């Protein structure tokens, strides 16, 4: 961390296009699971030129021109991918295909990404905390004691590796079409991607930050009562639903486990915000009120 204390190894999650090999987005975080997937999907739809600017890196839009969701996402059988929360992304029109477990050869494009990226940075980070292949052998030094990079430092390195991967890695034996040859498409992931998204049938789904966040929130059953909309044992209100409080009924609501101040009624594909009635629980996470 910034104070020089050892805090652990971050988790890198990526989305790689199966056709061009372009890294569409990434998440670098301390915890995996559904949280890293949400962060990954949000990065996929982020304007990458503006994102890189935050890290002091200037790129052209054509270097990393991805700000939409892929229409099909292929994953392994990790529990975070088969969870109801992630599969709710289907509400936006995305199809999730789960591969059998322990079959890395079926997702070779992702395995290739990690191989290339690690081979890019490891030679430059020797003796700086990088884990070497011999780390489990007896008598080998503890690589953790060499650690000197903060998360921010490492993220800049990862970003530069991704940009190199997208724009400078030559893709050998790519099945070029006659039109691609005619248009002199270069054998780099970003060039093949930029050509592909302009073709008829390119299947990308535009969405915005708030819609994606709400779609990936966990859901629970709520109940309309005369005291308000009850969800997770808390009462919520929306002045436009007074009649519904009297009628009652079970509904589906989306909630944020990190902050119970608001919930969203999921109704016909829309998200209607309800605010917490009991102010003593304002801004608390779900564990603080259960």
């Amino acid at each position: 961390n910034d104070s020089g204390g050892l805090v652990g190894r971050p988790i890198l999650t990526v989305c790689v296009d199966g056709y061009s090999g372009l890294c569409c987005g990434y998440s670098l975080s301390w915890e995996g699971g559904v949280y890293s997937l949400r962060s990954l999907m949000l990065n996929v739809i982020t304007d990458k030129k503006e994102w890189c600017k935050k890290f002091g890196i200037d790129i052209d839009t054509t270097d990393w021109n991805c700000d939409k969701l892929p229409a099909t996402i292929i994953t392994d059988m990790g529990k975070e991918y088969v969870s109801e929360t992630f599969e709710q992304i289907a509400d936006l029109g995305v199809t999730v295909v789960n591969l059998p477990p322990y079959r890395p050869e079926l997702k070779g494009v992702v395995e290739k990404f990690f191989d290339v990226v690690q081979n890019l940075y490891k030679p430059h980070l020797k003796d700086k905390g990088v884990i070497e292949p011999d780390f489990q052998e007896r008598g080998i030094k503890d690589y953790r004691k060499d650690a000197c990079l903060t998360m921010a430092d490492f993220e800049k390195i990862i970003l530069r590796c991704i940009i190199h991967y997208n724009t400078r890695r030559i893709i050998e034996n790519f099945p070029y079409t006659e039109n691609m040859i005619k248009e002199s498409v270069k054998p780099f992931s970003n060039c093949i991607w930029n050509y592909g998204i302009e073709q008829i049938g390119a299947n990308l789904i535009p969405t915005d930050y708030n819609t994606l966040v709400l779609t990936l929130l966990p859901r629970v059953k709520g109940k309309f009562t005369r005291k308000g909309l009850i969800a997770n044992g808390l009462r919520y209100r929306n002045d436009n639903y007074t009649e519904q409080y009297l009628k009652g009924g079970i509904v589906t609501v989306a909630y944020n486990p990190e902050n119970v101040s608001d919930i969203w009624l999921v109704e016909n594909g829309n998200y209607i915000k309800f605010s917490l009635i009991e102010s003593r629980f304002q801004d608390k996470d779900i564990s603080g009120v259960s």
Side-chain angles (χ1 to χ4, degrees):
N1 57 26
D2 291 333
S3 302
L6 186 67
V7 289
R9 299 171 65 189
I11 297 171
L12 176 63
T13 312
V14 297
C15 174
V16 182
D17 177 46
Y19 176 67
S20 66
L22 185 93
C23 176
C24 300
Y26 76 98
S27 168
L28 190 67
S29 60
W30 293 117
E31 59 179 326
V34 173
Y35 291 102
S36 67
L37 281 179
R38 181 175 66 183
S39 175
L40 170 62
M41 291 298 103
L42 289 172
N43 185 259
V44 167
I45 67 167
T46 295
D47 182 316
K48 303 306 190 299
K49 184 175 182 178
E50 294 301 316
W51 177 259
C52 289
K53 273 186 182 178
K54 296 179 181 179
F55 296 87
I57 302 172
D58 290 324
I59 64 171
D60 292 329
T61 300
T62 55
D63 291 337
W64 200 354
N65 189 19
C66 179
D67 59 2
K68 298 179 179 65
L69 288 175
T72 302
I73 296 178
I74 300 174
T75 76
D76 58 22
M77 289 292 286
K79 62 181 181 181
E80 61 269 31
Y81 298 111
V82 296
S83 68
E84 278 189 26
T85 303
F86 181 65
E87 291 189 342
Q88 288 164 188
I89 201 169
D91 292 353
L92 299 176
V94 176
T95 299
V96 179
V97 178
N98 294 308
L99 294 175
Y102 309 113
R103 296 293 302 275
E105 74 278 7
L106 297 180
K107 50 182 189 296
V109 67
V110 177
E111 301 296 332
K112 181 66 175 178
F113 170 87
F114 282 112
D115 285 344
V116 171
V117 166
Q118 291 187 76
N119 288 332
L120 284 173
Y121 70 70
K122 276 190 173 183
H124 302 285
L125 299 182
K126 191 173 180 63
D127 298 325
K128 291 181 171 59
V130 170
I131 305 298
E132 301 291 350
D134 61 358
F135 77 100
Q136 289 183 320
E137 295 181 13
R138 180 175 296 181
I140 295 300
K141 68 176 180 179
D142 187 348
Y143 292 101
R144 292 174 296 181
K145 295 180 180 178
D146 294 331
C148 61
L149 297 173
T150 65
M151 178 72 101
D153 294 332
F154 189 55
E155 187 153 9
K156 288 180 184 178
I157 292 169
I158 289 295
L159 259 177
R160 291 191 181 277
C161 289
I162 291 174
I163 294 166
H164 179 93
Y165 178 89
N166 283 345
T167 63
R168 292 292 180 266
R169 178 184 64 100
I170 295 177
I171 302 178
E172 299 178 355
N173 303 319
F174 187 84
Y176 275 86
T177 64
E178 289 186 11
N179 282 338
M180 294 176 77
I181 295 172
K182 188 183 299 182
E183 295 191 25
S184 301
V185 177
K186 295 179 180 179
F188 302 123
S189 289
N190 68 310
C191 297
I192 296 170
W193 168 272
N194 290 334
Y195 171 83
I197 61 177
E198 296 298 327
Q199 305 310 303
I200 296 174
N203 209 351
L204 296 172
I205 299 173
T207 189
D208 60 82
Y209 181 92
N210 288 334
T211 299
L212 183 54
V213 167
L214 291 172
T215 301
L216 294 179
L217 286 178
R219 299 178 186 180
V220 70
K221 292 298 181 184
K223 184 178 182 180
F224 276 114
T225 72
R226 292 177 181 271
K227 296 181 179 180
L229 175 55
I230 310 296
N232 293 323
L234 298 173
R235 297 186 299 133
Y236 295 85
R237 58 179 288 178
N238 179 317
D239 292 339
N240 295 324
Y241 280 76
T242 305
E243 186 176 337
Q244 192 67 47
Y245 300 144
L246 299 175
K247 290 182 178 179
I250 305 297
V251 293
T252 299
V253 299
Y255 69 97
N256 182 0
E258 299 162 12
N259 190 330
V260 300
S261 300
D262 301 299
I263 60 171
W264 292 264
L265 171 66
V266 182
E267 189 175 66
N268 300 323
N270 298 313
Y271 294 85
I272 297 94
K273 185 176 179 180
F274 281 68
S275 301
L276 186 67
I277 293 175
E278 298 148 300
S279 58
R280 68 182 184 275
F281 296 126
Q282 194 76 25
D283 298 322
K284 290 189 176 182
D285 62 33
I286 195 70
S287 63
V289 299
S290 56

